[in-house]
């Protein structure tokens, strides 16, 4: 292994004071922390392999029908230390073997991010090793490099989560640009808010997916007419609200009687809105390497539609494993590895950032 110890080139001077054990090696062992929203996750990457990717989810938010930021940060505090112990045990490594600590800097909920960032700092300080900050949305895209086959550059990635809906043009591991995005709600929000109207628990995306498999898309909702590569989901949300209101005037049990078909219809519309824009982006850029990422990429309807469309249009499609779709620290670890190789470390003054662009 190529191994240079105490190699400080390009490093922030504060890091030299704080971390003396900076080893620039080609295959670093990175411990990554993700805490941007309501999942606490810790992953360990060693020699290009994810040794563990543990996630502690927060079911407590179901009671409130959405994420309560204050509750989310307190839950992160409860979960993070036991998760670290489990991560070392699962990966079968000692803390002395870790070369760098990676963390999600943003975007996300500030209180949630603070827990991960502070924990990363204390670990880095106690182990005397450098820290790497990662942009959560870039990490969703770079999750495609955890397993083979990885997309070839340039590729397009439809990044769809609870907070974002973007089409990203990726030129390299370090160079990506958003070429289309939502003007209002994110696709995950469209799933979750529609689910709320159907009295489904939060987050409703996975439940809509489950019920859609049992129904037919027999109710039609309109596709918004938005210029360029941007998206909009607020009109769809209002359309669903009025549709349900009108139907319930006639049959007060309309939702109960038609739940599976309503879910199939909502899912079908959200997925066609997403894939139609992706088709437009592919035609406009001439790119046929097409990936999806983020929580909504776990949706079976979307995965299927991307495959079918890709086969029709001659795309090479890349669909992440389920565990790398929703929030996870493995994606933070792989994103951090590319930064490690460029020696992009941060000092102990690194701060969380709720809003961050790609
Ligand atoms: O990426 P993610 O885990 O967290 C954010 O960064 O937001 O995405 C969470 C979103 C939620 O809106 C959730 O309802 C949605 O992803 N989601 C799904 C599915 N699994 C998660 N939406 C539709 N179908 C699914 N199977
Ligand atoms: Zn996410």
């Amino acid at each position: 292994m190529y191994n240079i110890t105490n190699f400080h080139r390009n490093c922030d001077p504060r890091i030299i004071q704080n971390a003396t054990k900076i080893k620039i090696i080609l295959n670093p062992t990175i411990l990554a922390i993700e805490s941007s929203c309501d999942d606490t996750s810790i992953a360990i990457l060693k020699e290009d392999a994810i040794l563990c990717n543990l996630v502690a989810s927060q079911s407590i938010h179901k009671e409130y029908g959405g994420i309560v930021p204050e509750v989310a940060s307190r839950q992160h505090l409860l979960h993070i230390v036991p998760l670290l112990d489990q991560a070392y045990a699962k990966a079968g490594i000692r803390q002395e073997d870790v070369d760098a600590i990676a963390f999600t800097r943003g975007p996300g909920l500030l209180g949630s991010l603070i827990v991960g960032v502070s924990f990363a700092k204390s670990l880095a300080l106690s182990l005397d090793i450098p820290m790497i900050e990662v942009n959560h949305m870039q990490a969703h895209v770079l999750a495609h490099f955890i397993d083979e086959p990885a997309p070839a550059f340039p590729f397009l990635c439809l990044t769809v989560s609870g907070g974002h809906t973007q089409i990203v043009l990726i030129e390299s591991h370090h160079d990506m640009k958003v070429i289309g995005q939502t003007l209002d709600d994110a696709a995950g929000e469209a799933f979750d808010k529609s689910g709320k109207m159907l009295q489904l628990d939060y987050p409703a995306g996975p439940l809509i997916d489950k019920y859609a498999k049992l129904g037919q898309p027999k109710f039609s909702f309109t596709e918004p007419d938005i210029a360029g590569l941007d998206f909009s989901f607020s009109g769809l949300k209002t359309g669903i609200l009025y549709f349900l209101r009108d139907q319930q005037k006639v049959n007060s049990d309309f939702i109960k009687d038609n739940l599976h078909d309503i879910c199939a219809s909502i899912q079908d519309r959200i997925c066609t809105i997403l894939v139609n824009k992706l088709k437009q982006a592919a035609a406009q850029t001439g790119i046929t390497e097409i990936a999806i990422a983020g929580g909504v990429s776990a949706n079976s309807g979307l995965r299927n539609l991307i495959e079918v469309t890709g086969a029709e249009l001659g795309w090479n499609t890349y669909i992440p494993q389920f565990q790398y779709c929703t929030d996870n620290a493995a994606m933070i670890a792989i994103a951090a590895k590319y930064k490690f190789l460029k020696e992009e470390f941060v000092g102990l003054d690194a701060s969380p950032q709720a809003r961050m662009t790609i």
Side-chain angles (χ1 to χ4, degrees):
M1 182 164 45
Y2 171 68
N3 189 343
I4 304 172
T5 51
N6 291 332
F7 189 79
H8 298 307
R9 184 164 48 88
N10 289 346
C11 296
D12 184 315
R14 282 161 302 205
I15 273 293
I16 296 171
Q17 283 169 25
N18 297 326
T20 56
K21 290 188 198 153
I22 300 181
K23 291 192 291 181
I24 301 302
I25 52 178
L26 283 184
N27 286 308
T29 298
I30 296 177
L31 186 143
I33 299 161
E34 154 63 32
S35 72
S36 63
C37 193
D38 61 340
D39 291 316
T40 321
S41 181
I42 296 188
I44 298 179
L45 173 134
K46 184 183 180 191
E47 292 177 8
D48 282 339
I50 297 293
L51 301 185
C52 69
N53 179 39
L54 303 180
V55 182
S57 301
Q58 306 181 357
S59 54
I60 192 168
H61 301 287
K62 279 193 174 95
E63 289 172 34
Y64 307 98
I67 296 172
V68 183
E70 172 71 22
V71 174
S73 36
R74 287 178 189 277
Q75 290 276 304
H76 284 301
L77 281 172
L78 288 177
H79 291 160
I80 204 157
V81 174
L83 210 57
L84 179 68
D85 293 338
Q86 287 171 35
Y88 284 131
K90 177 97 197 284
I93 66 158
R94 298 164 313 151
Q95 60 178 16
E96 297 75 31
D97 302 328
V98 177
D99 298 306
I101 305 291
F103 63 92
T104 304
R105 181 176 186 201
L109 301 170
L110 196 59
S112 293
L113 291 165
I114 284 172
V115 177
V117 176
S118 312
F119 196 66
K121 284 183 192 175
S122 51
L123 274 179
L125 196 58
S126 65
L127 297 173
D128 197 15
I129 54 176
M131 285 192 304
I132 301 162
E133 64 173 38
V134 172
N135 176 313
H136 180 88
M137 296 312 293
Q138 285 184 356
H140 269 303
V141 172
L142 293 172
H144 284 284
F145 295 88
I146 295 173
D147 290 324
E148 296 284 333
F153 298 117
F155 70 95
L156 294 178
C157 187
L158 172 70
T159 309
V160 270
S161 70
H164 293 83
T165 296
Q166 303 175 327
I167 298 177
V168 187
L169 168 60
I170 300 101
E171 304 271 9
S172 77
H173 297 121
H174 305 278
D175 183 6
M176 42 185 101
K177 182 166 85 186
V178 176
I179 58 171
Q181 61 192 321
T182 185
L183 303 174
D184 40 58
D185 289 351
E189 261 178 300
F191 272 106
D192 297 337
K193 289 180 177 171
S194 312
K196 202 167 183 175
M197 295 179 215
L198 302 174
Q199 282 117 43
L200 300 179
D201 277 349
Y202 179 87
L207 288 173
I208 292 187
D209 192 355
K210 182 176 153 192
Y211 296 138
K213 286 183 188 140
L214 306 169
Q216 293 300 322
K218 63 183 201 194
F219 305 114
S220 77
F221 300 110
T222 50
E223 180 161 357
D225 183 16
I226 305 294
L229 299 177
D230 289 336
F231 302 88
S232 167
F233 289 100
S234 65
L236 174 67
K237 186 177 65 184
T238 315
I240 295 168
L241 182 73
Y242 290 163
F243 168 78
L244 293 175
R245 190 195 56 186
D246 294 346
Q247 295 296 327
Q248 282 174 302
K249 276 185 195 155
V250 183
N251 170 10
S252 58
D253 283 336
F254 179 76
I255 293 178
K256 192 158 85 50
D257 294 347
N258 295 278
L259 183 63
H260 299 160
D261 292 337
I262 301 171
C263 287
S265 308
I266 292 172
Q267 176 167 302
D268 183 68
R269 177 45 78 220
I270 295 175
C271 295
T272 51
I273 292 173
L274 293 170
V275 174
N276 284 345
K277 285 288 176 171
L278 197 50
K279 277 173 157 170
Q280 203 178 317
Q284 209 168 298
T285 57
I287 294 173
T288 53
E289 293 280 302
I290 308 288
I292 55 173
V296 180
S297 65
N299 183 267
S300 59
L302 181 62
R303 294 165 88 93
N304 190 37
L305 187 58
I306 293 277
E307 294 277 23
V308 170
T309 310
E312 271 168 26
L313 299 178
W315 295 348
N316 292 322
T317 52
Y318 301 88
I319 298 177
Q321 279 185 44
F322 283 111
Q323 62 165 329
Y324 302 139
C325 290
T326 44
D327 288 348
N328 68 89
M331 68 183 194
I332 305 301
I334 194 81
K337 187 191 156 181
Y338 296 112
K339 289 191 149 192
F340 185 100
L341 297 177
K342 287 185 81 185
E343 298 159 45
E344 283 184 21
F345 303 125
V346 290
L348 286 173
D349 60 343
S351 57
Q353 206 173 312
R355 288 175 176 274
M356 240 177 134
T357 53
I358 264 193

